[in-house]
Each structure stands twice: as C-alpha cells, then as structure tokens.
Amino acid sequence: MRYERMPIEAESPEETGYDTIRYNLAESSVHDRTLGEVLPDGTLNDLVLAYAHHRGKPELCDLIVADSPGLTGRDVLVCTGAATALFIIATTLLSAEDHLIVIRPNYSTNLETPRAIGCPTTIIDLSFEAGFQIDVAAIRQAIRPDTRLISITNPHNPTGQLYTAETLDALTELARQHNCHLLVDETYRDLNFQTPLQPYMAANAPHVISVCSLSKAFGVPGIRMGWIVCRDAVLMTRFLAAKEQIVICNSILDEAIAEHLLRRKAELLPPVHAHIRQNYAIISDWFAANADLIRWNPPQAGVVGFARINPDLTIDTDAFYHTLYHQYQTMVGAGHWFELPDAYMRIGFGYPTADELRQGLANIRACLLACR
C-alpha cells in the first residue's frame, strides 16, 4: 500500500502544538476531559492488564448499541478509534479490482485509505449551493458491476448536515439492489443536539455498516475507542480477522474507561449539548452579521460548520491562514484539508468556550478584512 500523509493530520493542532493556539476553532469535537473527570479515584485499581476480548469487552459492546433496537453486542467490533475501524472496512472490502463510490468533502481516511489500496474510486462532490445534500441520482449513475462500497458520513463531516430518512433509505435500497455495502460514518451521532438520536443505520439491513467513536462527543480522543456495527455475522468475522492481524485486541484500560463513560451517557451528554447549543447561537449570529464576507449552510448536528468566503471577494487565502495562526493564534480547518479550495474552511464551535469562540470569530473577521 502507498501511504500519503493527510494535510488534516500534518497540520492538526496536536502536530502544530496546542500551546501555539489560543483560539482553537479547528477541532471537530467537544473539549477534552481529564481522567479525573471521567473516573473516581481508584476505580481501575483492580483492573488486570491482560489481553482484552478480541471483539471488545462484551459489556461495552452491549452499551454501544443499547439505544438501537434490533442490534446486539454481537453486532459490534470495538476498534482503536474510528480511523482504525474505517481502515479495517476499506482493506477488507476493497482492492484494486473493486470500485468505491464516496462523497466529498469527507473525512480524509474515507478517501486516502482506498487510494493507498489502489481501489478505483468515483467521487461524488457535494456542493455549497445545494446545501451539501447527497444527490442519490448521481450515486445511482456511478454504480458499476464491480462496485463494492458506497461511503457516506451522517451527520456529515465537515458540514454538519443531517441527511433525511428518505435519502438514507434510498441509498440503503440502492446498495441492496446492486449487491454492495453502504458504509455510514456516524462519528457525530451523539452530537445530534437539535433532534432526537436515531438508531445506528446498521440496524436497518445486514449490508449496512455503521462506524462511530467516543472521541467527538465525550471529549476523550486520547483513549482511541471506536467501533464497527453490522448485522452480517460473516462479514464481521472478516473484520475481526483484520483487527486481529493489526492489533489483536484493544487496550483493556481504554475499554474500561469507555465502558464507564457509556454507563454515564445520560449524565454526561446533556451538559455537552447545552454547551453546543449556546455556542451554536453565538456562531449563527456571527455568520448573520458577516454575510458580506463569509457564509455557511447551518449545520444540523455535530460541532462543525463548513463555511465559504464569498466568491465575489478577492482574498489572499495564504495570507489569511498565515495571519490567523501566527498573529492571532487562531486555527480553523483550511479547505485543502478536505481537497477543496482554501476559500472553504471548517469552523468548530464545540471545543472552545463561549468567550474563546467569540474572540476566535472576531479574529477570522479581522483577518478577512486585512487580506482583501
């Protein structure tokens, strides 16, 4: 496989250095928690540091799908983060002789791992003008006899769009008709702060695969906990074989922390959603006041929006991002992180405090005006 380093990783806050950023609007998650916030003192003192269950701790697997009728813990494979889950799916289902259909913009792994495999890929580009909605007809037209996987994200990364049941049902049926799998990256599902949480898409049919993680909603990306959900037992055994050859099992410590978090889900998520709604109001007002410079399609879920500098403006985007980071110590996700022009940017509103968000947005405005 031929690996290329992804800009979203090479230029990430953890690589550039958190200590160089005062206003972090680049993150796609809520703010990180400390171990002391997650676990009472001594909770894990008796944990035996042995090999873990290869599929994931059974109690943890059950908790993962507790909100999705029709799924059981046997339909879950716990992985070292959603990125590993996506890697396992791509390397199991795709080869140079197969065909992938994937939407863009997207999380980079959903594009780069198939490329590393050499898998022929049809990219369906979503447009700002169409509100980044999925064109089911375009996906239908792109299907070939060798299509093995249709790949989407919902809630969508990086735009925060939440696709309708009609769109998702149409894609599920389309994949069934053509004997291929539908992958739904649902990493932001627990950040659905405006409408009721829906069951995993994998509950709908055996050929649908869901992926999720703890990182975004629970503020614990450092423990690397994600999972695959699928009702196809034969396929899940293939995924398990891939996991066993990559890592054998997960960290038993990470799984214990994950189990503890999910048991407290009803306690932990409401304050997170309240914070997101507060910041969403702040950033929505800011976009309304700055529509002469920059616009977005308001996100429906998650903690990021995908904005675009107005096309009628001439902005030196290189100078903009350089000034924003070096002079204002502010970071956003540049468009090239998502294979789009740098007139686009992902702005996160879940990670910063309300005051940090206000100042970070003010810094974006100042830089746009300075670089006209």
Side-chain angles (χ1 to χ4, degrees):
M1 294 173 62
R2 292 184 142 188
Y3 293 103
E4 297 287 341
R5 197 155 188 231
M6 299 179 291
I8 193 173
E9 304 301 346
E11 300 171 17
S12 62
E14 59 267 27
E15 286 293 282
T16 55
Y18 284 106
D19 59 341
T20 68
I21 307 167
R22 291 188 63 189
Y23 307 103
N24 189 347
L25 278 60
E27 295 293 352
S28 56
S29 63
V30 299
H31 204 280
D32 307 320
R33 298 181 189 272
T34 66
L35 188 59
E37 292 176 281
V38 175
L39 298 173
D41 291 343
T43 298
L44 299 182
N45 284 356
D46 296 328
L47 184 68
V48 178
L49 302 180
Y51 282 109
H53 293 269
H54 290 198
R55 296 177 183 271
K57 188 177 182 183
E59 296 84 354
L60 174 59
C61 293
D62 290 340
L63 285 167
I64 285 169
V65 293
D67 58 13
S68 294
L71 294 171
T72 73
R74 294 294 294 178
D75 301 318
V76 177
L77 179 65
V78 184
C79 304
T80 53
T84 300
L86 295 171
F87 181 89
I88 286 172
I89 293 165
T91 54
T92 300
L93 292 180
L94 302 175
S95 71
E97 287 73 47
D98 299 310
H99 175 243
L100 164 72
I101 300 172
V102 60
I103 63 172
R104 183 175 64 184
N106 208 323
Y107 176 57
S108 298
T109 295
N110 287 317
L111 295 160
E112 290 296 347
T113 302
R115 287 174 180 149
I117 296 168
C119 177
T121 300
T122 298
I123 294 173
I124 304 296
D125 283 314
L126 311 180
S127 74
F128 185 93
E129 290 77 11
F132 297 109
Q133 294 300 303
I134 295 176
D135 185 343
V136 177
I139 292 179
R140 180 181 294 109
Q141 186 174 6
I143 289 182
R144 306 182 340 194
D146 57 350
T147 300
R148 296 291 173 265
L149 186 65
I150 300 170
S151 175
I152 69 170
T153 66
N154 184 62
H156 184 251
N157 180 16
T159 70
Q161 299 308 306
L162 193 63
Y163 296 116
T164 66
E166 291 75 16
T167 293
L168 298 172
D169 288 346
L171 292 174
T172 301
E173 176 61 16
L174 190 62
R176 186 197 65 79
Q177 291 173 358
H178 293 274
N179 195 31
C180 63
H181 289 91
L182 173 64
L183 168 61
V184 187
D185 183 343
E186 302 186 53
T187 299
Y188 291 92
R189 72 185 294 269
D190 283 312
L191 292 175
N192 195 342
F193 62 94
Q194 300 191 80
T195 55
L197 181 68
Q198 298 300 308
Y200 283 103
M201 277 290 295
N204 294 349
H207 66 282
V208 179
I209 305 165
S210 295
V211 167
C212 196
S213 82
L214 286 180
S215 298
K216 305 302 181 183
F218 289 87
V220 289
I223 69 169
R224 309 310 305 139
M225 279 283 99
W227 46 84
I228 301 169
V229 185
C230 182
R231 287 168 43 200
D232 185 334
V234 174
L235 181 59
M236 287 294 273
T237 299
R238 293 177 62 194
F239 290 155
L240 173 61
K243 177 189 172 181
E244 288 171 329
Q245 293 179 44
I246 297 168
V247 295
I248 302 178
C249 63
N250 306 315
S251 159
I252 201 164
L253 178 61
D254 290 356
E255 287 197 354
I257 296 172
E259 180 187 358
H260 191 82
L261 281 166
L262 287 180
R263 289 194 186 282
R264 298 176 60 200
K265 184 174 182 176
E267 167 197 348
L268 294 174
L269 285 185
V272 168
H273 288 181
H275 169 70
I276 296 169
R277 284 191 289 269
Q278 176 191 37
N279 278 8
Y280 181 70
I282 292 169
I283 195 171
S284 296
D285 289 346
W286 183 83
F287 270 106
N290 289 278
D292 58 324
L293 295 173
I294 187 170
R295 298 184 183 184
W296 72 345
N297 289 292
Q300 299 161 304
V303 290
V304 292
F306 206 51
R308 185 181 67 178
I309 299 170
N310 288 350
D312 57 340
L313 297 179
T314 301
I315 300 287
D316 183 339
T317 53
D318 289 340
F320 167 76
Y321 288 109
H322 183 274
T323 303
L324 189 65
Y325 174 66
H326 289 280
Q327 182 174 332
Y328 289 90
Q329 295 179 282
T330 302
M331 180 177 281
V332 296
H336 67 264
W337 286 13
F338 305 95
E339 302 184 351
L340 288 176
D342 280 340
Y344 291 88
M345 67 186 77
R346 187 182 72 181
I347 303 178
F349 55 90
Y351 187 89
T353 66
D355 287 343
E356 288 169 345
L357 178 61
R358 290 188 185 95
Q359 187 58 56
L361 293 171
N363 294 344
I364 292 173
R365 173 178 169 80
C367 286
L368 286 172
L369 292 173
C371 296
R372 294 177 68 172

